[in-house]
Every structure is written in C-alpha cells, then in structure tokens.
Amino acid sequence: MRRLLSDAARTLVPRHEERHGPLPPLMLILTVATGMVDAISYLALGHVFVANMTGNVVFLGFALAGAGSLSALASVVSMAAFLVGAFAGGGLGTRFAAHRGRLLRAATVVQTVLVAVSVVVAVTADDRVTTGVRYTLIVCLGLAMGVQNAVARRLGVPDLTTTVLTLTLTGLAADSTRAGGEAPRPGRRILSVLAMFLGALAGAGIILHGRLSFALGLTLLLLAVTAVTTHRLSASDAPWVRPRP
C-alpha cells in the first residue's frame, strides 16, 4: 500500500509540488467517500446533502417556498452538523498545525468513528429509515463531512478539496490552453471529478438496491483504510508532513 501510494503521488503531484507527497491519492480516496456519502444522504435520507452545503442552502430555500418533497428541518440539521464538524476540524488543524500527516490521521480516525456509529444504527434498524434513524445518520455523516472539509482546507492541496467540485470544473475550462491559461494540474482535476462521480455511482447503485448498511460499510472501509495508511506514512518526518507555506 505504501509503495502504491508513493507511485500514485509521483503521478498526481508535479515535480515542483512534491511537498504534498502521498496526500493527493489519499484525498482522492476521501473524494470517493464524499460521493458515496452524498448518494446515501440524498437517496436514502430524504433529499438532503451532508457534504454539499451549497445544495442544502438551495434545498432550504426550495423547502421554505413550499416544495413538498424537501424538508427544511433536514437541511438545517445537516448544515448545523456540518458546521459543528468543521469547527472540530478547525480545532484539529490548530492542534496538529505542525504536522499534516498527523492532522489527516486524526481527522480520518474521527470520521471513521462517526461512520461506524452510522453503520451500527443502520444495521440495528435493519436498514429501515425511521425518523430517528434518518436524523441520527444526517448528524453523524454531517459531522464527518464537516471535519473532512475543514481539514482538507487546512492541508491545502490544490484542486483536492474532497467535497466541492465547482471551482475544480471551472479551473478545467478557464485555465485551459484554449482559454489562454497554463492548464495547471489538469490530470489531478479530472481525477478529482472522476473520484466524486465514481463514489456517487457506487453509492447510488447500492442504495437503489436497498442496502443502506452496505453503502455505509463501504464508506467506513474507505475511511479506515485512509486512516491506517496515513498513520503508517506519517510516522516519518518527510517534507510533505510540514505545513504548507
């Protein structure tokens, strides 16, 4: 795994950005997890996002205007949980400001615990989404995505926010050579979009077959692998663990 991530890092990181080390492939895994989580929340928890807060703001407006298929309460709860998670992620960023490896490890451990709780809740409920199950999952997943978003922001790897693709897609077009730009990191940007797409595709496919706990379990596996791998890779004092300038 370590060698695989090292090879992937060399592919995804231009030579002048090698200070990011294995962070790009690790954050692509988190981007896949984001796609899965938003597929779960939108399709199984009543048309609400737990990672895409732009969507929730829009959904809240639609719900307040009377759109019957949307819940204003669900959007508000999701945004509140995300904000609490982002606050916690900011605290982790401050605590581990001197070591990006330990920061990502701490964040993914927290996420793993939160998603593990979600799996237990779904399994206990036999995948039936009652009101209590719905809001418990929204809170747990919203907290996890808030932590992830805040930590990704602190890590500062270009084009790998793990939860937002609007600027990534904009950069692909606006910075292209045809638009007069220098087209920096087009491969990484495309992989980021592809990772989110594949996560959403996999998550939706599983949910549409009625397997909520399985979709959550696969998300848990991705986060656990990222946490364990980051723990092993961050044991050294390599240049990539240092804070970005």
Side-chain angles (χ1 to χ4, degrees), residues 33 42 44 51 74-75 93 106 115 130 170 194 206:
Y42 186 83
S75 293
V115 176
T130 63
T170 301
L194 184 61
I206 296 169

Side-chain angles (χ1 to χ4, degrees), residues 81-216:
F82 185 92
L83 287 172
V84 172
F87 181 82
L92 290 175
T94 300
R95 180 175 180 181
F96 298 104
H99 199 293
R100 293 197 295 174
R102 291 173 187 163
L103 171 57
L104 183 57
R105 178 186 64 189
T108 50
V109 166
V110 170
Q111 289 183 269
T112 299
V113 171
L114 288 166
V115 176
V117 172
S118 299
V119 172
V120 171
V121 170
V123 170
T124 302
D126 196 24
D127 286 346
R128 292 190 300 271
V129 183
T130 63
T131 300
V133 168
R134 179 189 187 191
Y135 284 102
T136 300
L137 295 183
I138 288 174
V139 169
C140 288
L141 297 176
L143 287 170
M145 290 297 104
V147 170
Q148 178 175 305
N149 202 62
V151 169
R153 183 172 181 269
R154 181 64 65 95
L155 292 173
V157 181
D159 302 310
L160 288 174
T161 63
T162 75
T163 58
V164 181
L165 291 180
T166 302
L167 290 178
T168 303
L169 288 168
T170 301
L172 272 173
D175 296 339
S176 66
T177 53
R178 286 186 176 273
E182 298 180 357
R185 303 176 300 274
R188 186 191 296 173
R189 290 172 174 177
I190 292 170
L191 284 173
S192 181
V193 174
L194 184 61
M196 184 81 77
F197 168 76
L198 291 176
L201 179 64
I206 296 169
I207 290 297
L208 292 176
H209 286 84
R211 302 296 298 274
L212 173 60
S213 57
F214 184 74
L216 287 168

Side-chain angles (χ1 to χ4, degrees), residues 48-59:
V48 65
F49 288 121
V50 291
N52 180 5
M53 290 301 110
T54 302
N56 276 337
V57 172
V58 174
F59 286 168

